[in-house]
Amino acid sequence: MRAPLMGRADRGATIWLTGLPSAGKTTIAVELAGRLRADGHRVEVLDGDEIREFLSAGLGFGREDRHTNVQRVGFVAELLASNGVKALVPVIAPYADSREAVRKRHRSEGTAYLEVHVATPVEVCSVRDVKGLYAKQAAGEISGLTGVDDPYEEPEEPDLRIESHTQSVQESAAALHALLTERGLA
């Protein structure tokens, strides 16, 4: 176990935003990152699409590959967080056991970890459909879409549940910032 950093501004943490595709995870993470940087924190956003392209290239979307992807992202996030960075991780992570493995790794290293469920209904996500995934799935062009024809296991007890369809991005980021402040991480 590494020795944790002690100062407020240099105490790292992983903030994992899980939810369906187009739930608003990345948008909230980017908004929060701006607030944290303005407060003097070191921040990295580990975007799921970028991770897939650079760190997990070649992995598919079956359960085992999704688990491997989540563990890789979790490892990088913990490494950053243990070195004083706020690692914001807007990654679907559809399986509870994969997310729990990441949480346990953080706990074993003494690194702060928060799980945030961006709980946006699939009907709202399909209207947002920022990547066109829901339309492609409906047209039969793709299968295995999380929350539609592939499972998404909602967190039972997240540190925070954000219903992004009932509040603005700024309100969602503010709620998350308030939690970080409450936990001594912001």
Side-chain angles (χ1 to χ4, degrees), residues 47-106:
D47 180 69
D49 293 332
E50 292 175 357
I51 295 293
R52 277 276 181 183
E53 182 179 352
F54 297 107
L55 186 62
S56 294
L59 290 180
F61 291 90
R63 185 178 181 99
E64 187 174 317
D65 281 357
R66 287 179 190 249
H67 179 78
T68 298
N69 182 59
V70 168
Q71 298 316 297
R72 287 178 183 176
V73 177
F75 174 81
V76 172
E78 194 284 322
L79 188 62
L80 288 167
S82 70
N83 284 283
V85 176
K86 303 294 188 289
L88 307 181
V89 186
V91 173
I92 296 170
Y95 302 112
D97 61 340
S98 296
R99 294 189 306 266
E100 184 57 26
V102 172
R103 181 186 297 276
K104 285 180 180 176
R105 173 173 178 69
H106 280 71

Side-chain angles (χ1 to χ4, degrees), residues 27-176:
T27 304
I28 294 167
V30 168
E31 177 72 20
L32 178 62
R35 288 174 184 235
L36 291 171
R37 286 184 183 115
D39 291 343
H41 297 276
R42 295 185 313 155
V43 180
E44 289 294 333
V45 177
L46 301 178
D47 180 69
D49 293 332
E50 292 175 357
I51 295 293
R52 277 276 181 183
E53 182 179 352
F54 297 107
L55 186 62
S56 294
L59 290 180
F61 291 90
R63 185 178 181 99
E64 187 174 317
D65 281 357
R66 287 179 190 249
H67 179 78
T68 298
N69 182 59
V70 168
Q71 298 316 297
R72 287 178 183 176
V73 177
F75 174 81
V76 172
E78 194 284 322
L79 188 62
L80 288 167
S82 70
N83 284 283
V85 176
K86 303 294 188 289
L88 307 181
V89 186
V91 173
I92 296 170
Y95 302 112
D97 61 340
S98 296
R99 294 189 306 266
E100 184 57 26
V102 172
R103 181 186 297 276
K104 285 180 180 176
R105 173 173 178 69
H106 280 71
R107 189 177 304 127
S108 73
E109 296 294 337
T111 306
Y113 176 88
L114 299 174
E115 182 178 74
V116 178
H117 180 207
V118 182
T120 309
V122 68
E123 300 80 19
V124 174
C125 294
S126 67
V127 169
R128 290 178 180 172
D129 203 10
V130 295
K131 299 174 194 164
L133 298 175
Y134 293 92
K136 288 179 182 176
Q137 190 278 335
E141 296 172 24
I142 63 169
S143 63
L145 182 59
T146 301
V148 178
D149 60 351
D150 208 53
Y152 177 73
E153 299 170 358
E154 291 188 5
E156 292 182 13
E157 296 183 33
D159 295 281
L160 179 65
R161 190 175 314 277
I162 293 175
E163 297 191 11
S164 71
H165 59 293
T166 64
Q167 60 191 34
S168 71
V169 171
Q170 293 75 20
E171 290 168 331
S172 297
L176 186 43

